[in-house]
Amino acid sequence: MPSPLGDKIRARRIQLEMSLEDLAIATGSSKGYLWELENRDKANPSADKLIKIAAALGVTTEFILDESPEVEPEASVLDEAFFRRYKKLDSKRKDKVQKFLDMWEDED
Amino acid sequence: MPSPLGDKIRARRIQLEMSLEDLAIATGSSKGYLWELENRDKANPSADKLIKIAAALGVTTEFILDESPEVEPEASVLDEAFFRRYKKLDSKRKDKVQKFLDMWEDED
DNA sequence: TTTTTTTGTTCGTTATATAGTACCATCAAT
DNA sequence: ATTGATGGTACTATATAACGAACAAAAAAA
């Protein structure tokens, strides 16, 4: 009896071709616990774990917490997650990223 | 030493003119615990509590969890402009950009 | 003022989130 | 076939989220 929260974590993890151990390392958790989150019906992680898992999976915490069982994060959700990371970059790195966009937009 | 999470909860609660007990009732928690969330420096509520508190306060969980300091408006405008361009990229190029973020975030 | 009610604070206890270890299964390489 | 990785499952121990009840401040009523 997996929870929608667990289904989303597993689906996204597999989509990124990560093992439980990969995710455990990326999020500073034990893989045993991550397995429980994905497969046990009472999944109730702490804010701290939630934030780290969402970051490692490149999705928003909102997406993971949402009760509706859509396992495929719609593109907009992924974009928002990216944007939150982007905003934290220093300006030099932001410029680097923008250079890529300039280049790509010139291609077509 | 209140956490940003605690500050947001308290600010919003007072804005709605709710007492700790009001919020405790609305969210099915003890007011003692809610006080800890607002005033203790290590605030780490569970997903369950998070969802209920956000609902009672009429905000998103994302808002409560977001720890990033508010950015100055001038920069945010530029970021939004970038984001509009980013969203138009195909997924392969989006992945490429994200790889850079992965790398940079690992550096520090 | 004095009393009563409301709101906030503290703390010992309990429930449970999470780590840690060890156990199975699969598969690749020897 | 056997060994050694690798990924998943299960179980026990421990740290801590969360409660409940009592105490303190403040506010409001009297």
Side-chain angles (χ1 to χ4, degrees):
Chain A
M1 295 168 183
S3 64
L5 182 148
D7 285 338
K8 288 183 187 169
I9 293 177
R10 189 189 319 97
R12 180 67 181 149
R13 172 176 65 81
I14 290 173
Q15 187 180 18
L16 296 178
E17 297 179 2
M18 300 176 81
S19 66
L20 283 172
E21 192 157 332
D22 290 338
L23 187 56
I25 291 169
T27 140
S29 326
S30 65
K31 68 172 180 174
Y33 179 59
L34 291 177
W35 181 85
E36 277 188 11
L37 283 187
E38 289 186 357
N39 299 291
R40 285 293 199 192
D41 49 351
K42 46 127 197 71
N44 194 24
S46 69
D48 178 61
K49 291 299 172 193
L50 215 43
I51 290 170
K52 287 175 178 164
I53 291 170
L57 296 179
V59 297
T60 65
T61 53
E62 196 78 19
F63 169 76
I64 293 181
L65 288 179
D66 188 20
E67 289 292 312
S68 61
E70 5 111 8
V71 290
E72 283 291 327
E74 56 273 34
S76 64
V77 171
L78 294 175
D79 286 348
E80 293 288 347
F82 163 83
F83 187 42
R84 290 183 54 243
R85 296 171 67 198
Y86 171 85
K87 282 189 285 191
K88 291 173 183 160
L89 294 178
D90 58 67
S91 57
K92 187 170 286 185
R93 282 166 171 173
K94 283 180 181 173
D95 286 346
K96 277 203 174 115
V97 173
Q98 297 224 31
K99 288 246 169 59
F100 276 94
L101 298 216
D102 294 339
M103 185 183 71
W104 287 332
E105 285 166 355
D106 283 346
E107 279 182 16
D108 29 55
Chain B
M1 295 156 200
S3 64
L5 182 148
D7 286 337
K8 289 185 186 169
I9 292 177
R10 188 189 319 97
R12 181 67 180 151
R13 173 176 64 82
I14 290 173
Q15 187 179 19
L16 297 177
E17 296 178 2
M18 300 176 80
S19 66
L20 283 171
E21 191 156 332
D22 290 337
L23 187 56
I25 291 169
T27 161
S29 327
S30 66
K31 66 173 178 173
Y33 179 58
L34 290 177
W35 181 86
E36 278 188 11
L37 283 189
E38 290 186 356
N39 300 290
R40 281 296 198 189
D41 49 350
K42 47 143 194 60
N44 195 24
S46 70
D48 178 61
K49 291 299 171 194
L50 215 44
I51 290 171
K52 286 174 178 165
I53 291 170
L57 296 180
V59 297
T60 64
T61 53
E62 195 77 20
F63 169 76
I64 294 180
L65 287 179
D66 186 22
E67 302 231 345
S68 69
E70 297 305 310
V71 289
E72 62 274 21
E74 183 66 24
S76 73
V77 170
L78 295 175
D79 287 346
E80 294 288 349
F82 163 83
F83 188 40
R84 262 176 261 121
R85 296 171 67 197
Y86 172 85
K87 280 190 284 192
K88 290 175 184 161
L89 295 177
D90 59 68
S91 58
K92 188 169 288 185
R93 282 167 170 171
K94 284 178 181 173
D95 284 346
K96 275 199 176 121
V97 173
Q98 297 223 30
K99 289 251 167 60
F100 275 95
L101 298 215
D102 292 339
M103 187 183 69
W104 287 333
E105 286 167 355
D106 281 346
E107 280 182 14
D108 33 44

